[in-house]
Amino acid sequence: MIHEFKVQNFLSIKEEQVLSFEATTDETLQDIYIVKKGKINLLKMGVIFGANASGKTNLIKSIEFLRDFTLSDKADKDRGTGHTSFAFDNNFREGNGLFDLSFFVDQLRFRYTVELNNVFVVKEQLVYYPGSQPAMIFSRLHNETKDIAEVEFGSTMKLKTTEKSIIETNTLINMSVIAAFSKLNIDFPLLKAATSFFKNHLTPLIKPGTSLRKFTIDRLEKSAQTKQFLLDLLNNADISIDDMKVEKTPITTEAKEKLLRMLPLNEADAAKFLADDKVLSKNLIFYHKLSEKGSIGLSIDAESMGTNRLFDLGGLLFEAISSKSVLLIDELENSLHPDLLIHFINTFLVNANEAQLIFTTHDINILSEQDNLRKDIIWFTQKSAEGATELYSMADFNHRKELSFLNAYKAGKFGAKPKLGSIYLKN
């Protein structure tokens, strides 16, 4: 679970912005929203509101960038880090990006920090907290004279000298120590646990156009538990379905030819593909309940966009809850009715144990559900006069719980609203 995330100088983010999941002293719905990690109470959810182009997406993109960077094994040191600086200020455009992530693996807290530009990593460090004070796992600096990474390990890390040397040698200037370690056969439990968090418990960003169909169908076929979860999710959302089955049929020659236009196959492999009669297509069929006539099967392609979206997200939701993952979703409300959106959120909150859901949204109807909300899960983004993203929490405002969150937002008390001009256009 994420404890706190800090980012500076990345895309539209200029000065350091902090997204914290440490709960305030508010006692509202603690059993639903809070997971205890020692003396720290962590929130399961973060909701980010803001006008278009205010930087909502860039904020969660920065978490995804950190995930991708830590896991990316660079082929050579000339490929760069992939970092993009804030463009509207010369000092920042030529400066370094800073990322700082505090997270928990079970009950053990880690903190990972990295400073980098688009060419090489300047600094990188991973610590853990065996007690109240941090202990170093590794620290890495860039040697400008030699143009190499120099890695130092904590005094309590039980590694052989040769193992330390191998990790350092494999750490190119544009990649993380974590990525270097991932490809090596070295027993290093603490670094393995931190690596597993980035790889297995922090999901890639789900965008409105991200295709999840294959992901969900694959899990539906492999797991009866996943199938039952999806059936429950859809039926509880008033989408009456008796069953769902995956039908497999041979792909037609015409369909194969269309696929070949997108596949980089040579002439011999293309001919083999066309002649293979075992190439199958998958089609998901929903069987709808009918009061007197039993069930009627419909292809998922004949279902509504909302049903499609809920099904696709359902596989991801089950996976996140089961594996205690951090789920990042941009514009969660896409194709979902406002009531269905609330249903999805509440399903996550009630069923998740140590998973987290972080999402952006334009659906301010969520704020009308204030009896089921905590102020500290709600965040806002707006742009400064310099075009930089500023992030802040509703918990920073002295707004009484009994007063409407939605009306206060509409009245502009929290900011984070578009500033609209005239509806009359010139010429």
Side-chain angles (χ1 to χ4, degrees), residues 356-412:
Q356 283 175 308
L357 173 62
I358 307 170
F359 66 94
T360 71
T361 182
H362 292 289
D363 192 340
I364 60 174
N365 289 301
I366 293 173
L367 296 175
S368 67
E369 300 287 322
Q370 68 188 71
D371 288 341
N372 297 317
L373 293 177
R374 290 173 57 97
K375 289 170 63 177
D376 51 6
I377 70 159
I378 300 170
W379 294 81
F380 302 103
T381 56
Q382 67 180 15
K383 277 203 173 173
S384 69
E386 299 174 306
T389 297
E390 296 175 338
L391 175 72
Y392 52 95
S393 171
M394 183 187 280
D396 297 336
F397 291 84
N398 184 22
H399 184 77
R400 299 200 306 275
K401 188 73 168 67
E402 62 271 18
L403 299 178
S404 170
F405 292 170
L406 180 58
N407 289 342
Y409 177 78
K410 286 181 175 179

Short mmCIF file of all heavy atoms in Angstrom, two decimals, residues 356-412:
data_model
loop_
_atom_site.label_atom_id
_atom_site.label_comp_id
_atom_site.label_asym_id
_atom_site.label_seq_id
_atom_site.Cartn_x
_atom_site.Cartn_y
_atom_site.Cartn_z
N GLN A 356 -5.68 -0.59 -2.79
CA GLN A 356 -5.96 0.84 -2.88
C GLN A 356 -6.48 1.18 -4.27
O GLN A 356 -6.05 0.60 -5.27
CB GLN A 356 -4.70 1.68 -2.59
CG GLN A 356 -4.35 1.77 -1.12
CD GLN A 356 -3.03 2.51 -0.91
OE1 GLN A 356 -2.02 2.18 -1.51
NE2 GLN A 356 -3.05 3.49 -0.03
N LEU A 357 -7.40 2.14 -4.32
CA LEU A 357 -7.96 2.64 -5.58
C LEU A 357 -7.68 4.13 -5.66
O LEU A 357 -8.12 4.90 -4.81
CB LEU A 357 -9.46 2.37 -5.63
CG LEU A 357 -10.24 2.96 -6.81
CD1 LEU A 357 -9.73 2.39 -8.13
CD2 LEU A 357 -11.74 2.70 -6.66
N ILE A 358 -6.92 4.53 -6.68
CA ILE A 358 -6.60 5.94 -6.91
C ILE A 358 -7.14 6.30 -8.30
O ILE A 358 -6.75 5.67 -9.29
CB ILE A 358 -5.07 6.18 -6.87
CG1 ILE A 358 -4.47 5.63 -5.57
CG2 ILE A 358 -4.75 7.66 -7.01
CD1 ILE A 358 -2.95 5.60 -5.56
N PHE A 359 -8.04 7.28 -8.36
CA PHE A 359 -8.62 7.58 -9.65
C PHE A 359 -8.92 9.07 -9.80
O PHE A 359 -9.10 9.79 -8.82
CB PHE A 359 -9.89 6.76 -9.90
CG PHE A 359 -11.05 7.07 -8.99
CD1 PHE A 359 -12.03 7.98 -9.37
CD2 PHE A 359 -11.18 6.43 -7.77
CE1 PHE A 359 -13.12 8.26 -8.56
CE2 PHE A 359 -12.27 6.70 -6.94
CZ PHE A 359 -13.24 7.62 -7.34
N THR A 360 -8.94 9.50 -11.05
CA THR A 360 -9.38 10.86 -11.39
C THR A 360 -10.81 10.78 -11.89
O THR A 360 -11.25 9.75 -12.40
CB THR A 360 -8.50 11.49 -12.48
OG1 THR A 360 -8.76 10.84 -13.74
CG2 THR A 360 -7.02 11.36 -12.14
N THR A 361 -11.52 11.89 -11.78
CA THR A 361 -12.89 11.91 -12.27
C THR A 361 -13.37 13.34 -12.48
O THR A 361 -12.89 14.27 -11.84
CB THR A 361 -13.84 11.19 -11.29
OG1 THR A 361 -15.17 11.19 -11.83
CG2 THR A 361 -13.87 11.87 -9.94
N HIS A 362 -14.35 13.47 -13.39
CA HIS A 362 -15.06 14.74 -13.57
C HIS A 362 -16.47 14.66 -12.97
O HIS A 362 -17.21 15.64 -13.00
CB HIS A 362 -15.19 15.08 -15.06
CG HIS A 362 -13.88 15.42 -15.71
ND1 HIS A 362 -13.21 16.58 -15.46
CD2 HIS A 362 -13.13 14.73 -16.61
CE1 HIS A 362 -12.10 16.61 -16.18
NE2 HIS A 362 -12.02 15.50 -16.87
N ASP A 363 -16.84 13.47 -12.47
CA ASP A 363 -18.20 13.27 -11.97
C ASP A 363 -18.31 13.82 -10.55
O ASP A 363 -18.03 13.11 -9.58
CB ASP A 363 -18.56 11.79 -12.02
CG ASP A 363 -20.05 11.56 -11.78
OD1 ASP A 363 -20.70 12.46 -11.23
OD2 ASP A 363 -20.54 10.49 -12.16
N ILE A 364 -18.77 15.06 -10.43
CA ILE A 364 -18.86 15.69 -9.11
C ILE A 364 -20.05 15.17 -8.31
O ILE A 364 -20.18 15.50 -7.13
CB ILE A 364 -18.94 17.23 -9.22
CG1 ILE A 364 -20.17 17.66 -10.05
CG2 ILE A 364 -17.66 17.78 -9.84
CD1 ILE A 364 -20.37 19.17 -10.08
N ASN A 365 -20.89 14.31 -8.93
CA ASN A 365 -21.98 13.70 -8.17
C ASN A 365 -21.46 12.85 -7.02
O ASN A 365 -22.18 12.61 -6.05
CB ASN A 365 -22.86 12.85 -9.09
CG ASN A 365 -23.68 13.69 -10.05
OD1 ASN A 365 -24.48 14.51 -9.63
ND2 ASN A 365 -23.46 13.49 -11.33
N ILE A 366 -20.22 12.40 -7.13
CA ILE A 366 -19.61 11.65 -6.03
C ILE A 366 -19.65 12.47 -4.74
O ILE A 366 -19.86 11.94 -3.65
CB ILE A 366 -18.15 11.27 -6.38
CG1 ILE A 366 -18.13 10.27 -7.52
CG2 ILE A 366 -17.41 10.70 -5.17
CD1 ILE A 366 -16.75 9.97 -8.05
N LEU A 367 -19.48 13.79 -4.88
CA LEU A 367 -19.44 14.66 -3.70
C LEU A 367 -20.80 14.74 -2.99
O LEU A 367 -20.87 15.15 -1.84
CB LEU A 367 -18.98 16.06 -4.10
CG LEU A 367 -17.55 16.16 -4.64
CD1 LEU A 367 -17.27 17.58 -5.12
CD2 LEU A 367 -16.54 15.74 -3.59
N SER A 368 -21.87 14.35 -3.69
CA SER A 368 -23.19 14.37 -3.05
C SER A 368 -23.37 13.19 -2.10
O SER A 368 -24.32 13.15 -1.32
CB SER A 368 -24.30 14.35 -4.12
OG SER A 368 -24.29 13.12 -4.82
N GLU A 369 -22.46 12.22 -2.18
CA GLU A 369 -22.53 11.03 -1.32
C GLU A 369 -21.74 11.26 -0.02
O GLU A 369 -21.07 10.35 0.47
CB GLU A 369 -21.96 9.81 -2.06
CG GLU A 369 -22.67 9.47 -3.34
CD GLU A 369 -24.03 8.84 -3.08
OE1 GLU A 369 -24.15 8.04 -2.13
OE2 GLU A 369 -24.97 9.16 -3.83
N GLN A 370 -21.81 12.45 0.55
CA GLN A 370 -20.89 12.80 1.63
C GLN A 370 -21.09 11.99 2.90
O GLN A 370 -20.18 11.91 3.73
CB GLN A 370 -20.94 14.28 1.94
CG GLN A 370 -22.22 14.81 2.55
CD GLN A 370 -22.16 16.32 2.61
OE1 GLN A 370 -22.24 16.98 1.57
NE2 GLN A 370 -21.99 16.87 3.80
N ASP A 371 -22.26 11.36 3.08
CA ASP A 371 -22.43 10.49 4.24
C ASP A 371 -21.52 9.27 4.15
O ASP A 371 -21.24 8.62 5.16
CB ASP A 371 -23.89 10.02 4.35
CG ASP A 371 -24.82 11.15 4.79
OD1 ASP A 371 -24.31 12.15 5.33
OD2 ASP A 371 -26.04 11.04 4.58
N ASN A 372 -21.07 8.96 2.93
CA ASN A 372 -20.19 7.81 2.73
C ASN A 372 -18.77 8.21 2.33
O ASN A 372 -18.02 7.39 1.80
CB ASN A 372 -20.78 6.90 1.63
CG ASN A 372 -22.12 6.33 2.01
OD1 ASN A 372 -22.30 5.90 3.14
ND2 ASN A 372 -23.06 6.34 1.08
N LEU A 373 -18.44 9.50 2.55
CA LEU A 373 -17.12 10.01 2.17
C LEU A 373 -16.35 10.53 3.37
O LEU A 373 -16.93 10.98 4.35
CB LEU A 373 -17.25 11.15 1.15
CG LEU A 373 -17.78 10.83 -0.23
CD1 LEU A 373 -17.89 12.12 -1.05
CD2 LEU A 373 -16.87 9.85 -0.95
N ARG A 374 -15.03 10.47 3.25
CA ARG A 374 -14.14 11.15 4.18
C ARG A 374 -13.48 12.31 3.44
O ARG A 374 -13.14 12.19 2.26
CB ARG A 374 -13.05 10.20 4.69
CG ARG A 374 -13.52 9.10 5.63
CD ARG A 374 -12.38 8.14 5.92
NE ARG A 374 -11.22 8.84 6.48
CZ ARG A 374 -10.94 8.94 7.79
NH1 ARG A 374 -11.76 8.38 8.68
NH2 ARG A 374 -9.87 9.58 8.21
N LYS A 375 -13.27 13.42 4.11
CA LYS A 375 -12.64 14.58 3.46
C LYS A 375 -11.22 14.27 3.01
O LYS A 375 -10.76 14.79 2.00
CB LYS A 375 -12.64 15.77 4.42
CG LYS A 375 -14.01 16.37 4.66
CD LYS A 375 -14.00 17.38 5.79
CE LYS A 375 -13.12 18.58 5.48
NZ LYS A 375 -13.18 19.59 6.56
N ASP A 376 -10.49 13.41 3.77
CA ASP A 376 -9.08 13.18 3.46
C ASP A 376 -8.84 12.28 2.26
O ASP A 376 -7.69 12.08 1.85
CB ASP A 376 -8.31 12.67 4.68
CG ASP A 376 -8.98 11.47 5.35
OD1 ASP A 376 -9.98 10.97 4.81
OD2 ASP A 376 -8.51 11.06 6.43
N ILE A 377 -9.91 11.72 1.66
CA ILE A 377 -9.70 10.94 0.43
C ILE A 377 -9.88 11.80 -0.82
O ILE A 377 -9.59 11.36 -1.92
CB ILE A 377 -10.66 9.73 0.34
CG1 ILE A 377 -12.11 10.20 0.10
CG2 ILE A 377 -10.56 8.83 1.55
CD1 ILE A 377 -13.00 9.14 -0.50
N ILE A 378 -10.36 13.03 -0.64
CA ILE A 378 -10.70 13.89 -1.78
C ILE A 378 -9.58 14.90 -2.03
O ILE A 378 -9.18 15.64 -1.13
CB ILE A 378 -12.03 14.61 -1.53
CG1 ILE A 378 -13.16 13.58 -1.33
CG2 ILE A 378 -12.37 15.55 -2.69
CD1 ILE A 378 -14.45 14.18 -0.85
N TRP A 379 -9.11 14.93 -3.27
CA TRP A 379 -8.02 15.82 -3.66
C TRP A 379 -8.45 16.65 -4.87
O TRP A 379 -9.31 16.24 -5.64
CB TRP A 379 -6.77 15.00 -4.01
CG TRP A 379 -6.19 14.30 -2.83
CD1 TRP A 379 -6.63 13.11 -2.29
CD2 TRP A 379 -5.10 14.72 -2.02
NE1 TRP A 379 -5.88 12.79 -1.20
CE2 TRP A 379 -4.93 13.75 -1.00
CE3 TRP A 379 -4.25 15.83 -2.04
CZ2 TRP A 379 -3.94 13.85 -0.04
CZ3 TRP A 379 -3.26 15.93 -1.08
CH2 TRP A 379 -3.11 14.96 -0.09
N PHE A 380 -7.81 17.81 -5.01
CA PHE A 380 -8.11 18.71 -6.12
C PHE A 380 -6.81 19.12 -6.82
O PHE A 380 -5.77 19.26 -6.18
CB PHE A 380 -8.82 19.97 -5.63
CG PHE A 380 -10.11 19.71 -4.91
CD1 PHE A 380 -10.17 19.79 -3.52
CD2 PHE A 380 -11.26 19.38 -5.61
CE1 PHE A 380 -11.36 19.56 -2.84
CE2 PHE A 380 -12.45 19.14 -4.94
CZ PHE A 380 -12.50 19.23 -3.55
N THR A 381 -6.90 19.32 -8.13
CA THR A 381 -5.77 19.90 -8.88
C THR A 381 -6.25 21.16 -9.58
O THR A 381 -7.38 21.24 -10.04
CB THR A 381 -5.23 18.93 -9.95
OG1 THR A 381 -6.29 18.54 -10.83
CG2 THR A 381 -4.60 17.70 -9.32
N GLN A 382 -5.38 22.16 -9.61
CA GLN A 382 -5.63 23.34 -10.43
C GLN A 382 -4.29 23.87 -10.91
O GLN A 382 -3.24 23.53 -10.36
CB GLN A 382 -6.40 24.40 -9.66
CG GLN A 382 -5.66 25.03 -8.51
CD GLN A 382 -6.53 26.08 -7.80
OE1 GLN A 382 -7.74 26.16 -7.97
NE2 GLN A 382 -5.88 26.92 -7.00
N LYS A 383 -4.34 24.69 -11.96
CA LYS A 383 -3.10 25.22 -12.53
C LYS A 383 -2.83 26.62 -12.02
O LYS A 383 -3.74 27.45 -11.92
CB LYS A 383 -3.16 25.21 -14.06
CG LYS A 383 -2.79 23.85 -14.63
CD LYS A 383 -2.33 23.96 -16.06
CE LYS A 383 -1.81 22.60 -16.54
NZ LYS A 383 -1.50 22.62 -17.97
N SER A 384 -1.56 26.87 -11.73
CA SER A 384 -1.14 28.20 -11.30
C SER A 384 -1.06 29.12 -12.51
O SER A 384 -1.24 28.70 -13.65
CB SER A 384 0.22 28.11 -10.62
OG SER A 384 1.22 27.78 -11.58
N ALA A 385 -0.74 30.40 -12.25
CA ALA A 385 -0.57 31.36 -13.34
C ALA A 385 0.57 30.96 -14.26
O ALA A 385 0.60 31.35 -15.44
CB ALA A 385 -0.32 32.75 -12.76
N GLU A 386 1.51 30.15 -13.75
CA GLU A 386 2.66 29.69 -14.56
C GLU A 386 2.33 28.43 -15.35
O GLU A 386 3.19 27.90 -16.06
CB GLU A 386 3.85 29.41 -13.66
CG GLU A 386 4.35 30.64 -12.89
CD GLU A 386 5.43 30.24 -11.90
OE1 GLU A 386 5.19 29.32 -11.08
OE2 GLU A 386 6.51 30.84 -11.95
N GLY A 387 1.11 27.92 -15.19
CA GLY A 387 0.74 26.68 -15.88
C GLY A 387 1.19 25.43 -15.18
O GLY A 387 1.25 24.36 -15.79
N ALA A 388 1.50 25.53 -13.88
CA ALA A 388 1.98 24.39 -13.10
C ALA A 388 0.84 23.78 -12.29
O ALA A 388 -0.02 24.49 -11.77
CB ALA A 388 3.11 24.82 -12.17
N THR A 389 0.85 22.47 -12.17
CA THR A 389 -0.17 21.75 -11.40
C THR A 389 0.04 21.93 -9.91
O THR A 389 1.15 21.75 -9.40
CB THR A 389 -0.14 20.26 -11.74
OG1 THR A 389 -0.47 20.09 -13.12
CG2 THR A 389 -1.11 19.47 -10.89
N GLU A 390 -1.06 22.25 -9.21
CA GLU A 390 -1.03 22.35 -7.76
C GLU A 390 -2.05 21.35 -7.21
O GLU A 390 -3.20 21.31 -7.64
CB GLU A 390 -1.38 23.76 -7.31
CG GLU A 390 -0.36 24.80 -7.76
CD GLU A 390 -0.77 26.23 -7.41
OE1 GLU A 390 -1.99 26.46 -7.21
OE2 GLU A 390 0.12 27.10 -7.34
N LEU A 391 -1.63 20.55 -6.25
CA LEU A 391 -2.46 19.51 -5.65
C LEU A 391 -2.73 19.84 -4.19
O LEU A 391 -1.83 20.22 -3.45
CB LEU A 391 -1.73 18.16 -5.74
CG LEU A 391 -2.39 16.96 -5.05
CD1 LEU A 391 -3.64 16.52 -5.81
CD2 LEU A 391 -1.39 15.80 -4.94
N TYR A 392 -3.98 19.69 -3.77
CA TYR A 392 -4.32 19.95 -2.37
C TYR A 392 -5.53 19.11 -1.98
O TYR A 392 -6.28 18.62 -2.82
CB TYR A 392 -4.57 21.44 -2.13
CG TYR A 392 -5.57 22.07 -3.07
CD1 TYR A 392 -6.91 22.20 -2.72
CD2 TYR A 392 -5.17 22.54 -4.33
CE1 TYR A 392 -7.83 22.79 -3.59
CE2 TYR A 392 -6.09 23.11 -5.20
CZ TYR A 392 -7.41 23.23 -4.83
OH TYR A 392 -8.32 23.80 -5.68
N SER A 393 -5.72 18.95 -0.67
CA SER A 393 -6.74 18.06 -0.15
C SER A 393 -7.93 18.83 0.40
O SER A 393 -7.79 19.95 0.91
CB SER A 393 -6.14 17.20 0.98
OG SER A 393 -7.13 16.48 1.66
N MET A 394 -9.12 18.23 0.32
CA MET A 394 -10.29 18.82 0.95
C MET A 394 -10.10 18.94 2.46
O MET A 394 -10.67 19.81 3.11
CB MET A 394 -11.55 18.01 0.65
CG MET A 394 -12.82 18.64 1.23
SD MET A 394 -14.30 17.61 1.07
CE MET A 394 -14.74 17.94 -0.63
N ALA A 395 -9.27 18.05 3.02
CA ALA A 395 -9.02 18.08 4.46
C ALA A 395 -8.31 19.37 4.88
O ALA A 395 -8.30 19.72 6.07
CB ALA A 395 -8.18 16.87 4.87
N ASP A 396 -7.73 20.11 3.91
CA ASP A 396 -7.07 21.38 4.23
C ASP A 396 -8.09 22.50 4.48
O ASP A 396 -7.71 23.57 4.97
CB ASP A 396 -6.15 21.80 3.07
CG ASP A 396 -5.02 20.81 2.84
OD1 ASP A 396 -4.67 20.09 3.79
OD2 ASP A 396 -4.50 20.75 1.71
N PHE A 397 -9.35 22.27 4.13
CA PHE A 397 -10.38 23.31 4.25
C PHE A 397 -11.18 23.12 5.54
O PHE A 397 -11.50 21.99 5.93
CB PHE A 397 -11.33 23.26 3.05
CG PHE A 397 -10.69 23.68 1.76
CD1 PHE A 397 -9.98 22.76 0.99
CD2 PHE A 397 -10.80 24.98 1.29
CE1 PHE A 397 -9.39 23.14 -0.21
CE2 PHE A 397 -10.22 25.37 0.10
CZ PHE A 397 -9.52 24.44 -0.66
N ASN A 398 -11.52 24.24 6.14
CA ASN A 398 -12.36 24.21 7.34
C ASN A 398 -13.83 24.18 6.90
O ASN A 398 -14.56 25.16 6.99
CB ASN A 398 -12.07 25.44 8.21
CG ASN A 398 -12.86 25.41 9.51
OD1 ASN A 398 -13.28 24.34 9.96
ND2 ASN A 398 -13.06 26.57 10.10
N HIS A 399 -14.22 23.02 6.40
CA HIS A 399 -15.59 22.85 5.89
C HIS A 399 -16.29 21.82 6.73
O HIS A 399 -15.87 20.64 6.78
CB HIS A 399 -15.55 22.41 4.42
CG HIS A 399 -16.90 22.30 3.79
ND1 HIS A 399 -17.62 23.40 3.38
CD2 HIS A 399 -17.68 21.21 3.53
CE1 HIS A 399 -18.77 23.00 2.87
NE2 HIS A 399 -18.83 21.68 2.96
N ARG A 400 -17.35 22.20 7.41
CA ARG A 400 -18.05 21.31 8.33
C ARG A 400 -18.69 20.15 7.59
O ARG A 400 -19.25 20.32 6.51
CB ARG A 400 -19.10 22.07 9.14
CG ARG A 400 -18.52 23.17 10.01
CD ARG A 400 -19.46 23.55 11.13
NE ARG A 400 -20.80 23.90 10.67
CZ ARG A 400 -21.15 25.11 10.25
NH1 ARG A 400 -20.24 26.09 10.23
NH2 ARG A 400 -22.39 25.35 9.86
N LYS A 401 -18.66 18.99 8.20
CA LYS A 401 -19.15 17.76 7.56
C LYS A 401 -20.64 17.82 7.24
O LYS A 401 -21.10 17.22 6.27
CB LYS A 401 -18.85 16.57 8.50
CG LYS A 401 -19.13 15.20 7.88
CD LYS A 401 -18.07 14.85 6.85
CE LYS A 401 -18.14 13.39 6.43
NZ LYS A 401 -19.35 13.02 5.70
N GLU A 402 -21.40 18.55 8.03
CA GLU A 402 -22.84 18.58 7.81
C GLU A 402 -23.23 19.48 6.63
O GLU A 402 -24.38 19.46 6.18
CB GLU A 402 -23.59 19.04 9.07
CG GLU A 402 -23.26 20.45 9.54
CD GLU A 402 -22.08 20.50 10.49
OE1 GLU A 402 -21.31 19.51 10.52
OE2 GLU A 402 -21.93 21.51 11.18
N LEU A 403 -22.27 20.27 6.11
CA LEU A 403 -22.56 21.13 4.97
C LEU A 403 -22.22 20.39 3.67
O LEU A 403 -21.29 19.60 3.62
CB LEU A 403 -21.76 22.43 5.06
CG LEU A 403 -22.05 23.31 6.28
CD1 LEU A 403 -21.16 24.54 6.27
CD2 LEU A 403 -23.52 23.72 6.32
N SER A 404 -22.96 20.68 2.63
CA SER A 404 -22.83 19.95 1.38
C SER A 404 -21.46 20.14 0.73
O SER A 404 -21.05 21.26 0.46
CB SER A 404 -23.93 20.42 0.40
OG SER A 404 -23.69 19.91 -0.89
N PHE A 405 -20.79 19.02 0.45
CA PHE A 405 -19.52 19.06 -0.29
C PHE A 405 -19.78 19.54 -1.72
O PHE A 405 -19.03 20.35 -2.26
CB PHE A 405 -18.88 17.67 -0.35
CG PHE A 405 -18.37 17.14 0.96
CD1 PHE A 405 -17.96 15.82 1.07
CD2 PHE A 405 -18.27 17.96 2.08
CE1 PHE A 405 -17.49 15.31 2.26
CE2 PHE A 405 -17.80 17.46 3.28
CZ PHE A 405 -17.40 16.13 3.37
N LEU A 406 -20.85 19.01 -2.32
CA LEU A 406 -21.15 19.30 -3.71
C LEU A 406 -21.46 20.78 -3.91
O LEU A 406 -20.93 21.42 -4.82
CB LEU A 406 -22.33 18.45 -4.19
CG LEU A 406 -22.77 18.64 -5.63
CD1 LEU A 406 -21.63 18.36 -6.60
CD2 LEU A 406 -23.98 17.76 -5.95
N ASN A 407 -22.31 21.35 -3.05
CA ASN A 407 -22.66 22.76 -3.18
C ASN A 407 -21.46 23.66 -2.96
O ASN A 407 -21.30 24.69 -3.62
CB ASN A 407 -23.77 23.13 -2.19
CG ASN A 407 -25.11 22.52 -2.58
OD1 ASN A 407 -25.30 22.12 -3.73
ND2 ASN A 407 -26.04 22.44 -1.64
N ALA A 408 -20.59 23.26 -2.01
CA ALA A 408 -19.38 24.04 -1.75
C ALA A 408 -18.45 24.03 -2.96
O ALA A 408 -17.86 25.05 -3.33
CB ALA A 408 -18.66 23.51 -0.51
N TYR A 409 -18.34 22.86 -3.61
CA TYR A 409 -17.51 22.78 -4.80
C TYR A 409 -18.09 23.62 -5.93
O TYR A 409 -17.38 24.37 -6.60
CB TYR A 409 -17.36 21.32 -5.25
CG TYR A 409 -16.56 21.19 -6.53
CD1 TYR A 409 -15.17 21.28 -6.52
CD2 TYR A 409 -17.18 20.98 -7.76
CE1 TYR A 409 -14.43 21.18 -7.68
CE2 TYR A 409 -16.46 20.87 -8.93
CZ TYR A 409 -15.08 20.97 -8.88
OH TYR A 409 -14.35 20.88 -10.04
N LYS A 410 -19.41 23.51 -6.14
CA LYS A 410 -20.05 24.29 -7.19
C LYS A 410 -19.90 25.79 -6.96
O LYS A 410 -19.79 26.57 -7.92
CB LYS A 410 -21.54 23.93 -7.27
CG LYS A 410 -21.83 22.58 -7.89
CD LYS A 410 -23.34 22.34 -7.93
CE LYS A 410 -23.69 21.06 -8.66
NZ LYS A 410 -25.16 20.82 -8.68
N ALA A 411 -19.89 26.19 -5.69
CA ALA A 411 -19.75 27.61 -5.36
C ALA A 411 -18.31 28.09 -5.47
O ALA A 411 -18.04 29.28 -5.31
CB ALA A 411 -20.28 27.86 -3.95
N GLY A 412 -17.39 27.16 -5.73
CA GLY A 412 -15.99 27.55 -5.91
C GLY A 412 -15.17 27.58 -4.64
O GLY A 412 -14.02 28.05 -4.65
#
